[in-house]
Amino acid sequence: MPVFTITLKSRNTLDKKRISSAIHAAVVKTGYPANDQFQRFISLGEDDLYVDPTYPDLESPRSANFVLIEAMLSSGSPDARKQLLLQSLVQELALIGLDSNDLMVLFIELDRLNSSFGGGRRASPLSMSQ
């Protein structure tokens, strides 16, 4: 169950919905269930998000459309799945016009036993088949 925090400079509701849909399409393409959707948007003012335009050696500078995606995943998630998720995010967000230079993705791992997905029950450990 990935949980996404999407940080960006202020956008209208339609833009956020398009970004949300693209992220969800990438999640499903990666093999997560279609009803596994958990996203939080943080919209910041012009003076609340500073990003170097070319770090780390981008061929063209970032635009004002920069989007930071923090994907919290269960610890033990296979590297191949993370790579597929990254590729899927880039592809799906490109379909709505987001340049890959304007996208930063951070994977954060959390031990499932340190979480509850609902119902007051602690999450079970990740099995290697997930």
Side-chain angles (χ1 to χ4, degrees):
M1 179 184 94
V3 176
F4 294 91
T5 300
I6 301 96
T7 304
L8 38 70
K9 290 185 180 176
S10 294
R11 303 266 178 90
N12 63 44
T13 301
L14 179 59
D15 283 346
K16 286 192 265 185
K17 285 184 179 183
R18 291 174 68 218
I19 292 168
S20 173
S21 293
I23 291 170
H24 189 62
V27 167
V28 172
K29 186 190 280 188
T30 305
Y32 290 95
N35 65 345
D36 191 347
Q37 184 174 19
F38 298 91
Q39 301 174 355
R40 171 179 58 173
F41 280 80
I42 301 173
S43 296
L44 300 172
E46 199 63 35
D47 292 333
D48 296 320
L49 182 62
Y50 295 93
V51 177
D52 186 278
T54 58
Y55 181 85
D57 73 356
L58 297 176
E59 292 180 17
S60 60
R62 293 181 170 94
S63 75
N65 293 325
F66 176 78
V67 174
L68 168 62
I69 297 176
E70 296 168 82
M72 188 175 307
L73 307 172
S74 297
S75 58
S77 295
D79 286 341
R81 191 171 209 186
K82 289 183 235 179
Q83 184 61 36
L84 179 58
L85 179 55
L86 177 59
Q87 291 170 347
S88 298
L89 286 167
V90 169
Q91 291 168 354
E92 293 296 326
L93 289 163
L95 293 175
I96 64 166
L98 185 69
D99 186 299
S100 62
N101 282 345
D102 287 330
L103 178 62
M104 179 183 283
V105 179
L106 304 175
F107 293 110
I108 302 162
E109 293 192 356
L110 174 71
D111 186 323
R112 290 169 61 98
L113 292 176
N114 292 328
S115 60
S116 169
F117 299 152
R121 297 180 308 269
R122 288 179 67 196
S124 58
L126 179 68
S127 72
M128 295 315 281
S129 64
Q130 290 182 327

